Amino acid sequence: MAKSEAEVALDIAIKKTYRAFSRRVRTDGDASDLIFKKLKQQKRIRCQCGCMKVQRSKGSRVFICMTCKAKTYFTAGTAYEGAGRLRARLGVIYFAERNLILTASKVSQLFKVGSGTARSIVLNQAIILNETMPDSALELTGQEVASLIYRRSCETPARRPPIAEQEEIDNEVSQSEACKNAGNSETDFTENVDVDGFAPDLSDAQKQVFAALSNVSRSADDLCILTGLPAGIVGSSLVILHLDNLIEELPGGRYTRITLREKSGPLTSSPNDFAMLEVLLNAFHTFIKLTSKGVSRKCMQLYLAQFWYCVDKSRWHKNDLFNLYLDHAPLGHQDLRNFVSSNRLKLPLVSI
Ligand SMILES: [Zn+2]
């Protein structure tokens, strides 16, 4: 298949960046030197005996104490601990700083490392980034990323397409909400929601439909069941709510409430923020399609974290990520394999 213009441009950027990186860091030893230099600047090169006078040969991962002669691995206690192929690790950081997120297969090919190592290098970075995501991050609805779910994972239900993973989560969430609603079935739906505050002109039916929606998407059929209203009334209420900008229609004829986002993030209901979110989500879709064509639900959160790193220029500056590895506890292989995106996918709202 012929490559798109964007893919060709990406290939060129990757080659150029690789050449620039290779001029700075040619070997794993060069990478060790950089890490050692940084730790020394931070006054973190110190023997267990307390002595800071040490000897080290160029390219080595250890230093020797001038006082007690003990040998110390200086990457111990950082996310570089026990990590082979330091050059590839620093390379992936170097690329990310230039907004180039590499797939494991690209890392393997460029840096000549095994596919398992490449995968762990890429996962490592994404997991560390994901941990730093602020609490104020927005909660996404599954539908906003559903079309990107393209690959199966061990979390995908057997003999079902990749998207089944997201569908199961949506069902779980809507069931737990249905239980909650069933618990207070005597009270009117609208009592749970302060609809009047911002949409005083709605009819009772419209309020009921709105109240039955949440940030979990529902189809018109779901809404008929939940509200007990006839399909015609539900349909016309949806049209009005849509015109009032209270709800949005998602692919597949499903609807969610717009205003619920306010709860999970720094969003106000300003049209500006919604425009910003739309731009951000579009960029995320482009980002995924360009870097990996499509992803599994299991790893979606990691891609969101990498994307966030690339676009949030007010949070991420040069060397931040390199330093973050130095301040991060070692990551075990177990941690990597066990990562599963939480039911609630998150992405900070940033302007791009
Ligand atoms: Zn010592």
Side-chain angles (χ1 to χ4, degrees), residues 46-54 63-72:
R46 179 195 298 266
C47 173
Q48 273 185 324
C49 78
C51 175
M52 289 179 82
K53 280 204 179 129
V54 303
F63 62 76
I64 294 161
C65 172
M66 305 275 273
T67 308
C68 74
K69 306 291 173 205
K71 205 167 124 179
T72 307

Side-chain angles (χ1 to χ4, degrees), residues 24-37 56-61 74 85-88 90:
R24 289 171 176 81
V25 185
R26 277 162 310 155
T27 61
D28 286 339
D30 289 349
S32 288
D33 290 349
L34 278 175
I35 293 170
F36 183 78
K37 195 173 144 196
R56 170 180 172 269
S57 35
K58 209 168 153 27
S60 168
R61 299 265 299 251
F74 57 82
R85 318 310 299 259
L86 279 183
R87 177 173 179 264
L90 295 198

Side-chain angles (χ1 to χ4, degrees), residues 14 31 103 112 177 185 193 214 216 230 244 267 317 326 328 347:
I14 288 175
T103 58
K112 314 267 185 294
E177 289 207 346
S185 55
V193 202
S214 65
V216 179
D244 282 351
L267 266 187
H317 304 99
L326 294 176
H328 195 284
L347 179 66

Side-chain angles (χ1 to χ4, degrees), residues 211-224:
L213 282 167
S214 65
N215 57 346
V216 179
S217 74
R218 299 196 194 290
S219 67
D221 289 344
D222 294 342
L223 293 168
C224 291

Side-chain angles (χ1 to χ4, degrees), residues 170-182:
D170 291 345
N171 285 340
E172 233 171 79
V173 178
S174 56
Q175 265 167 21
S176 76
E177 289 207 346
C179 285
K180 254 188 267 160
N181 289 334

Side-chain angles (χ1 to χ4, degrees), residues 292-311:
S292 60
K293 318 277 187 236
V295 301
S296 66
R297 172 65 177 68
K298 179 177 183 275
C299 291
M300 186 64 77
Q301 185 58 52
L302 297 178
Y303 285 90
L304 286 165
Q306 290 176 318
F307 171 71
W308 167 58
Y309 173 81
C310 289
V311 296

Side-chain angles (χ1 to χ4, degrees), residues 12-149:
I12 293 171
I14 288 175
K15 276 188 194 134
K16 233 171 122 178
T17 306
Y18 183 76
R19 277 200 299 272
F21 175 72
S22 298
R23 281 195 289 275
R24 289 171 176 81
V25 185
R26 277 162 310 155
T27 61
D28 286 339
D30 289 349
S32 288
D33 290 349
L34 278 175
I35 293 170
F36 183 78
K37 195 173 144 196
K38 188 73 200 181
L39 288 171
K40 200 161 172 142
Q41 275 171 11
Q42 296 179 347
K43 304 204 187 318
R44 287 165 66 180
I45 296 296
R46 179 195 298 266
C47 173
Q48 273 185 324
C49 78
C51 175
M52 289 179 82
K53 280 204 179 129
V54 303
Q55 251 183 341
R56 170 180 172 269
S57 35
K58 209 168 153 27
S60 168
R61 299 265 299 251
V62 298
F63 62 76
I64 294 161
C65 172
M66 305 275 273
T67 308
C68 74
K69 306 291 173 205
K71 205 167 124 179
T72 307
Y73 278 89
F74 57 82
T75 50
T78 74
Y80 296 114
E81 179 178 311
R85 318 310 299 259
L86 279 183
R87 177 173 179 264
R89 268 165 221 275
L90 295 198
V92 169
I93 295 173
Y94 186 88
F95 271 84
E97 281 188 339
R98 283 146 190 85
N99 290 344
L100 294 165
I101 297 297
L102 301 175
T103 58
S105 64
K106 199 78 204 173
V107 170
S108 166
Q109 180 198 333
L110 275 179
F111 296 97
K112 314 267 185 294
V113 298
S115 58
T117 307
R119 199 175 139 69
S120 100
I121 289 173
V122 170
L123 269 173
N124 230 312
Q125 187 183 71
I127 287 176
I128 289 177
L129 286 172
N130 191 45
E131 284 171 9
T132 54
M133 208 177 261
D135 293 337
S136 60
L138 274 179
E139 226 173 70
L140 301 180
T141 65
Q143 279 64 35
E144 281 158 342
V145 292
S147 66
L148 300 172
I149 300 172

